[in-house]
Amino acid sequence: MRAAVLVGPGALEVRDVPEPEGAVLVEVHAATACGTDVKMLRHGHPVLGDYPCRFGHEMAGVRLDSGDPVLVGDSVACGACPACERGRSQLCEDMTWVLGGFAERIAAPEAALHTIPSSLDLRVAAVAEPLAACVHAVSRGTDARDCGILGGGTMGQMLAQLLLQEGRDVTLADRHPERRAQAAACGAHAVERLGRHDLVFEAVGRPEAWAEAVMAAAPGGCVVLVGGCPAGSTAPLPTGRLHYDELDVRGAFHHDRAEVDRALWLLLSGEVDVTEMLAPTIGLDELAEALVRPADGPARKIVVDPRR
């Protein structure tokens, strides 16, 4: 079968690889890409192991044993480590990562699969993975009504929709007018730069954005850091704001299984609509070019159908 294979930093090849073995075989119909996939292409990633390696962690398809449509979750927690025992399985110390969605087929543990109704477009279903991370990020915040979001990419747009569904007042800041227009169309206030807000979500993933998010928090406010920065980064956070304004700064990483199920329900019910964020579907041979294309203009998710 064909699969996208990382062979070195910045190098991706579409190769014929052996058929996957074990667990449950799933024919991948839709695999979407995010900023983590771009990082994996450029620099590799600890969870990938040595080159050559396969990647792709947002995927939906059909079980070959039953024909049922499924979302393939990208992780299975061990259930036994201290983090899992504390109810924080997204921080599992012995996580099984399920990667390799940019391929015609994938072998996944039963515990990673989420059966979905046939009425849900598999391209939309694949976005449940990053949406689940947004669901988790919102849970890491407070119940403040006044919310600001720094960054209008797909994560920022989904965060805005989640917060608006809860009846909150949402302001999204992004330098791209197209992304501000997307946020405004959903009901958010769209600006180039955040003012002060009681709850701020950082959805960019750069150290300077982390610092900017802290500066945008009102005294006594909360900042949730959603965007992951490059490995080894340090963020020069303003100590005066943190101390004298008693700001709470919280990380938000990954999701648990229940949050994935919640994301699927939100997509199925239409409470979160990602259809306008889906780029035209491409095949594996077009993936490398798509991942390195400048991320200008409106927020878009790359969608790959490996069968093409």
Side-chain angles (χ1 to χ4, degrees):
M1 71 169 189
R2 299 174 76 237
V5 180
L6 298 175
V7 297
L12 183 158
E13 296 178 1
V14 177
R15 293 182 172 181
D16 289 318
V17 300
E19 290 285 342
E21 296 181 354
V24 181
L25 296 183
V26 176
E27 182 180 67
V28 180
H29 288 207
T32 55
C34 71
T36 299
D37 296 302
V38 176
K39 295 176 188 175
M40 287 179 170
L41 171 60
R42 290 175 175 168
H43 312 296
H45 195 281
V47 302
L48 291 176
D50 297 331
Y51 294 113
C53 52
R54 288 159 53 186
F55 71 130
H57 63 283
E58 304 173 7
M59 51 216 156
V62 175
R63 291 179 65 137
L64 294 182
D65 59 357
S66 67
D68 293 332
V70 291
L71 170 76
V72 181
D74 65 347
S75 62
V76 178
C78 74
C81 70
C84 287
E85 290 181 344
R86 292 195 305 268
R88 303 187 72 175
S89 60
Q90 76 279 3
L91 303 179
C92 176
E93 298 168 24
D94 191 24
M95 189 79 79
T96 297
W97 294 101
V98 184
L99 307 173
F102 296 129
E104 292 179 320
R105 286 169 291 282
I106 185 171
E110 183 77 43
L113 302 181
H114 302 253
T115 301
I116 57 178
S118 58
S119 59
L120 184 59
D121 186 333
L122 291 177
R123 299 176 306 149
V124 173
V127 183
E129 193 284 323
L131 177 58
C134 293
V135 170
H136 179 67
V138 170
S139 77
R140 292 285 292 152
T142 66
D143 60 1
R145 179 177 177 83
D146 174 31
C147 303
I149 300 171
L150 180 61
T154 55
M155 295 293 282
Q157 301 290 339
M158 290 189 289
L159 284 167
Q161 290 193 46
L162 289 173
L163 294 165
L164 288 165
Q165 283 292 334
E166 295 184 357
R168 309 210 207 186
D169 188 14
V170 179
T171 300
L172 182 146
D174 195 278
R175 64 186 179 88
H176 297 93
E178 300 91 343
R179 298 182 183 184
R180 296 198 298 272
Q182 285 176 289
C186 292
H189 308 291
V191 298
E192 290 192 51
R193 192 174 184 86
L194 287 180
R196 290 286 179 90
H197 300 277
D198 295 329
L199 176 59
V200 177
F201 292 88
E202 187 282 335
V204 177
R206 292 199 299 268
E208 60 270 26
W210 281 27
E212 186 177 344
V214 170
M215 291 301 296
C222 176
V223 180
V224 180
L225 304 172
V226 185
C229 294
S233 299
T234 57
L237 301 182
T239 57
R241 294 294 326 281
L242 294 171
H243 179 72
Y244 294 107
D245 287 340
E246 291 192 348
L247 301 182
D248 290 337
V249 180
R250 305 173 183 176
F253 171 69
H254 202 44
H255 48 66
D256 61 24
R257 184 176 177 88
E259 287 163 337
V260 176
D261 287 333
R262 171 67 177 167
L264 282 168
W265 184 88
L266 289 165
L267 293 169
L268 181 63
S269 67
E271 290 198 20
V272 173
D273 184 359
V274 300
T275 52
E276 293 300 317
M277 286 188 271
L278 299 178
T281 303
I282 61 175
L284 289 172
D285 293 317
E286 302 162 272
L287 176 59
E289 180 181 353
L291 287 173
V292 299
R293 190 175 299 135
D296 295 325
R300 291 283 184 266
K301 292 289 290 182
I302 297 170
V303 182
V304 178
D305 183 344
R307 301 170 299 167
R308 291 193 171 195

